[in-house]
Amino acid sequence: MHPRILEVRRNLLKKNDELARDLRGRFLSDGLFVVNLVSGPGTGKTALLRRTLGELLNRGYRPIALVGDLATDNDARRLAESGAPVRQITTDGVCHLEADMVARHLAEWSPGPADFLFIENVGNLVCPASYDLGESLRVVLLSVTDGEDKPLKYPKLFNTADVAIVTKADLAEACEFDRAAAEANIHDVRPGMQIFSTSAKTGVGFDAWLAFLIDQRTACGLPVRDERPFVSQP
Amino acid sequence: MHELSIAHSLVTTATDALDAERASGSDPLGRVKAVHLRLGRLAGVVRDALEFCYDLVTEDTLLAGSQLVIHDIDVVVFCNACQAERTLPGIQRFRCPECDKPTGDIRHGRELELEYIELE
């Protein structure tokens, strides 16, 4: 035996990344456009998603959702009010979702045909950034009550997202939210990222957000659906 | 706090590499002295937390008693205006430090890579 160096050069998240890549291929060939929602706790992921699910149902799409939480199934119950199939992933304390949790839960679930899958990540501004879940679109949320400098404090989360949504726009005035400053901060950590502004309470901004989602899905080569209300099977 | 799961993955990756080396019929392997990790500033992993977990997760493994050596990797972007790679001083501002033009073309800084294992 003599001192030596063993070259490895391997990414520690390789297993997750490979599984995520396989999932992405499978989702797209199944006609499923997958969106991963990330943000800190209390930013309004569930409220945004509940309204998004309902509005997509009204437009003739068949959205489904997986929701990750440390404990409780409160969010899944709130989301199910939209009428879309929803399944809870309780992580038992794990602070983020990983690709194998998504794969495992989908394998045990038969929600029927679907064209959008939303994955609501665990509320956490750090860890979810590192884990690809096989999504085609990663959306980061910033609420007007969060403060404009959140993107600078958690640059990685914003940097790895594809699009940002400023939520709770109805409270902006009461919070003296400086929209220009928030957008400048987002663009400092992620130049050119598209930013939407919504209120899940009043519905402000949802038309633009939904049009964007539908466009993105079409841009992945997935077929457009008729815009008529989906009637669930009896 | 996902550093514990990152540390577990470090142990698995290193153990797999050592097992593969042993199976390839190389010289007998000595004790693991150090594990070298390339950690980008944009990897989203807290250095201190990872170091804190290391002794705990390596206990009773081939890495027990070894040292974790972390090589920090700065964020390097490509500036289209300058047509050059530039190193950013931090991760809060994705602008070229020379010409101040925004750029999101990241070339380095996301690394979370087990680079090599030092054996005695």
Side-chain angles (χ1 to χ4, degrees):
Chain A
M1 284 188 285
H2 50 88
R4 54 187 284 221
I5 298 288
L6 176 62
E7 291 269 351
V8 184
R9 295 200 173 277
R10 199 170 306 155
N11 179 355
L12 298 188
L13 294 175
K14 193 172 173 221
K15 219 172 107 192
N16 185 79
D17 290 348
E18 285 177 349
L19 178 57
R21 202 180 53 212
D22 291 350
L23 283 175
R24 189 160 24 251
R26 215 176 77 200
F27 290 150
L28 290 173
S29 69
D30 287 350
L32 198 56
F33 183 73
V34 180
V35 181
N36 179 6
L37 294 174
V38 297
S39 79
T43 310
K45 285 186 295 302
T46 309
L48 175 100
L49 187 49
R50 183 169 56 177
R51 186 152 195 147
T52 302
L53 294 172
E55 301 258 2
L56 282 171
L57 285 170
N58 285 337
R59 284 166 167 78
Y61 286 88
R62 299 163 303 185
I64 59 174
L66 281 175
V67 51
D69 231 321
L70 297 172
T72 86
D73 61 354
N74 293 349
D75 287 355
R77 282 191 278 114
R78 281 173 64 200
L79 289 174
E81 290 164 14
S82 67
V86 177
R87 185 179 167 100
Q88 177 80 45
I89 303 180
T90 305
T91 63
D92 290 328
V94 177
C95 56
H96 60 273
L97 294 179
E98 298 187 15
D100 74 325
M101 298 179 191
V102 171
R104 223 170 40 232
H105 277 266
L106 288 177
E108 294 167 356
W109 190 32
S110 315
D115 29 42
F116 281 96
L117 164 64
F118 292 88
I119 305 172
E120 180 181 332
N121 219 310
V122 179
N124 180 329
L125 283 153
V126 181
C127 311
S130 298
Y131 295 89
D132 186 352
L133 303 181
E135 71 267 25
S136 290
L137 186 76
R138 188 177 295 184
V139 182
V140 62
L141 277 63
L142 170 76
S143 80
V144 300
T145 55
D146 276 338
E148 297 83 0
D149 61 349
K150 271 268 157 62
L152 302 181
K153 290 180 177 169
Y154 302 94
K156 162 97 174 172
L157 193 74
F158 284 82
N159 186 272
T160 51
D162 301 300
V163 57
I165 301 183
V166 174
T167 59
K168 309 187 189 180
D170 53 296
L171 299 175
E173 205 176 319
C175 299
E176 298 181 354
F177 179 70
D178 184 343
R179 189 184 159 109
E183 293 194 350
N185 290 339
I186 290 172
H187 284 148
D188 269 347
V189 297
R190 181 74 156 97
M193 180 152 69
Q194 192 166 352
I195 304 170
F196 293 91
S197 176
T198 61
S199 162
K201 195 171 168 189
T202 67
V204 159
F206 269 76
D207 282 346
W209 160 236
L210 290 159
F212 172 81
L213 271 179
I214 292 166
D215 273 358
Q216 290 291 307
R217 183 177 177 279
T218 314
C220 283
L222 303 179
V224 184
R225 291 193 65 79
D226 295 339
E227 295 226 349
R228 55 190 150 78
F230 172 65
V231 182
S232 57
Q233 298 297 315
Chain B
M1 240 307 273
H2 63 308
E3 282 74 7
L4 190 59
S5 84
I6 298 285
H8 271 295
S9 152
L10 176 62
V11 172
T12 314
T13 308
T15 307
D16 287 351
L18 290 165
D19 287 346
E21 182 68 9
R22 192 171 289 129
S24 75
S26 74
D27 298 341
L29 300 177
R31 195 182 72 87
V32 175
K33 192 176 156 196
V35 170
H36 290 253
L37 182 73
R38 280 159 52 83
L39 180 60
R41 295 192 194 281
L42 257 189
V45 171
V46 181
R47 189 191 169 111
D48 288 351
L50 193 57
E51 284 172 338
F52 179 77
C53 300
Y54 189 75
D55 286 347
L56 188 75
V57 296
T58 54
E59 205 172 294
D60 299 326
T61 73
L62 293 173
L63 308 187
S66 69
Q67 189 196 350
L68 174 64
V69 182
I70 297 178
H71 304 273
D72 287 318
I73 309 293
D74 283 334
V75 177
V76 174
V77 293
F78 183 78
C79 173
N80 210 25
C82 301
Q83 284 293 304
E85 289 193 349
R86 305 285 191 206
T87 301
L88 299 185
I91 58 169
Q92 271 85 16
R93 204 159 185 272
F94 282 76
R95 282 175 180 270
C96 173
E98 300 294 324
C99 73
D100 208 38
K101 291 255 168 34
T103 169
D105 186 354
I106 300 167
R107 299 293 169 93
H108 294 287
R110 290 186 174 130
E111 293 83 351
L112 179 57
E113 182 190 84
L114 169 54
E115 191 179 18
Y116 61 93
I117 300 171
E118 235 180 293
L119 298 158
E120 273 180 355

